[in-house]
């Protein structure tokens, strides 16, 4: 469980290490989006493993560090590498870094992830602003924490993703000539991709894409009063949606095709938030 004591310790450590840098925007980068952080001016890096109480990422290719600095005129705190439920982390630990962001002063957060389309309306390579989500893990990132469930908190659960931030992203896309769709993200546990029947179910319950992240961080952030922008990029069609067998190679291919587009959209959006 993400104990208050640990949140305090981690926050203090980051403040000391960065000489009281005040991030305004928190960012959680999905796979392939590392280059967003490369554009940060005067970056300060902190490895997760050095931060007291911080979980450590186990997925290969995820750097597992915070990058703090200025991106397009905004003070940002970027998580390069995130924690997945499928790695075995308890949900509250996945919400932990977001609670630390809040303590450091973050008021807006961009959360990004790859996903699989569960409808033929979305194709590999498409970008989608997340308007809402369905949590098929049925686990909550703030489970077990002492929260005062005020009216304000319950109203925030009804709107996890901030419509104003979504509009800024959509407008930024229009200016850059990048098409962005809108839709519902379904979180499955993973680590394997969904079965055909599960993909059909995700569609039937109202989803547009399915993925294995985003929901815990977005939920924790919204409940703590952080405005959330959720953005996903479709790396593949879900099992059974396309007749083609899902291949890792195709997923990587799509990712390299859209990487530059997503990176510029996210960087530009930050400047407009
Ligand atoms: N399912 C779940 N997570 C994913 C997928 C998918 O098809 N593609 C990328 N992340």
């Amino acid at each position: 469980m993400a104990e208050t004591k640990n949140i305090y310790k981690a926050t203090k450590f980051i403040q000391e290490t960065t000489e009281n840098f005040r991030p305004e925007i928190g960012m959680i980068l999905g796979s392939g989006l590392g280059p967003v952080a490369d554009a940060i001016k005067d970056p300060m890096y902190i490895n997760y493993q050095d931060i007291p109480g911080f979980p450590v990422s186990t997925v290969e290719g995820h750097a597992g560090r915070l990058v703090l600095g200025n991106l397009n005129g905004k003070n940002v705190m970027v998580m390069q590498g995130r924690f997945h439920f499928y790695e075995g982390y308890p949900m509250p630990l996945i919400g932990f870094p977001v609670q630390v962001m809040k303590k450091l002063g973050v008021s807006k957060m961009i959360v990004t992830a790859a996903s699989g389309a569960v409808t033929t309306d979305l194709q590999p390579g498409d970008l989608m602003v997340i308007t809402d989500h369905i949590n098929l893990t049925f686990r909550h990132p703030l489970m077990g924490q002492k929260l005062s469930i005020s009216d304000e908190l319950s109203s925030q659960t009804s709107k996890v993703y901030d419509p104003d931030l979504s509009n800024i992203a959509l407008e930024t896309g229009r200016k850059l000539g990048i098409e962005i769709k809108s839709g519902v993200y379904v979180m499955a546990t993973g680590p394997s991709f969904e079965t055909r029947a599960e993909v059909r179910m995700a569609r039937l319950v109202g989803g547009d894409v399915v993925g294995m992240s985003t929901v815990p961080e977005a939920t924790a952030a919204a409940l703590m009063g952080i405005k959330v922008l959720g953005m996903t990029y479709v790396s593949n069609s879900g099992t059974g949606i396309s007749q083609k067998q899902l291949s890792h190679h195709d997923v990587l291919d799509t990712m390299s095709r859209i990487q530059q587009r997503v990176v510029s959209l996210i960087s530009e959006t930050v400047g407009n938030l």
Side-chain angles (χ1 to χ4, degrees):
M1 172 172 342
E3 298 200 18
T4 316
K5 195 169 71 213
N6 281 344
I7 294 169
Y8 174 75
K9 274 195 206 159
T11 305
K12 191 158 171 280
F13 179 85
I14 296 165
Q15 282 170 334
E16 282 170 5
T17 312
T18 62
E19 297 179 346
N20 285 323
F21 179 79
R22 294 269 308 175
E24 178 195 349
I25 300 174
M27 298 173 74
I28 303 176
L29 298 178
S31 43
L33 297 194
V36 172
D38 296 339
I40 292 175
K41 278 204 215 93
D42 303 323
M44 293 176 275
Y45 300 101
I46 309 178
N47 290 330
Y48 295 159
Q49 66 204 38
D50 297 333
I51 309 172
F54 230 71
V56 176
S57 184
T58 62
V59 175
E60 236 181 284
H62 286 246
R65 65 181 182 182
L66 295 179
V67 192
L68 301 102
N70 197 281
L71 181 62
N72 277 337
K74 299 286 158 69
N75 279 355
V76 298
M77 167 173 174
V78 177
M79 283 182 73
Q80 245 182 349
R82 57 140 61 98
F83 307 104
H84 297 93
F85 190 53
Y86 66 73
E87 292 175 87
Y89 293 109
M91 279 291 195
L93 214 50
I94 305 174
F96 178 86
V98 178
Q99 289 184 273
V100 174
M101 282 185 184
K102 171 73 184 176
K103 279 263 181 290
L104 287 166
V106 163
S107 59
K108 295 169 192 159
M109 187 178 88
I110 305 181
V111 53
T112 59
S115 58
V118 299
T119 159
T120 49
D121 294 344
L122 288 162
Q123 301 298 324
D126 278 353
L127 305 189
M128 189 189 97
V129 154
I130 302 172
T131 52
D132 207 347
H133 70 224
I134 296 168
N135 182 355
L136 290 186
T137 72
F138 301 105
R139 300 283 190 287
H140 198 285
L142 300 185
M143 215 174 237
Q145 309 235 349
K146 290 193 193 75
L147 287 173
S148 56
I149 302 295
S150 62
D151 288 343
E152 195 193 352
L153 285 181
S154 25
S155 73
Q156 273 156 0
T157 0
S158 68
K159 213 187 268 172
V160 172
Y161 303 91
D162 188 80
D164 294 336
L165 299 196
S166 300
N167 283 333
I168 291 171
L170 292 169
E171 187 53 33
T172 306
R174 267 191 290 275
K175 285 198 183 124
L176 294 174
I178 297 172
E179 191 192 358
I180 310 172
K181 302 195 170 160
S182 300
V184 174
Y185 179 102
V186 177
M187 182 188 181
T189 59
S192 52
F193 280 3
E194 301 67 37
T195 64
R196 282 165 190 267
E198 285 164 349
V199 167
R200 277 202 305 276
M201 176 189 71
R203 182 63 187 153
L204 275 173
V205 296
D208 294 290
V209 297
V210 60
M212 305 172 194
S213 63
T214 303
V215 166
E217 298 104 322
T219 305
L223 274 170
M224 288 179 307
I226 297 176
K227 292 186 172 171
V228 181
L229 169 63
M231 176 76 68
T232 182
Y233 35 103
V234 177
S235 63
N236 57 281
S237 293
T239 316
I241 291 289
S242 110
Q243 295 315 308
K244 209 164 165 250
Q245 180 74 25
L246 240 176
S247 92
H248 188 55
H249 180 259
D250 288 347
V251 169
L252 293 181
D253 227 39
T254 304
M255 291 304 300
S256 65
R257 182 160 59 83
I258 62 169
Q259 187 185 46
Q260 197 43 52
R261 204 175 348 144
V262 190
V263 168
S264 39
L265 175 71
I266 299 293
S267 316
E268 202 63 28
T269 301
V270 167
N272 293 334
L273 287 185

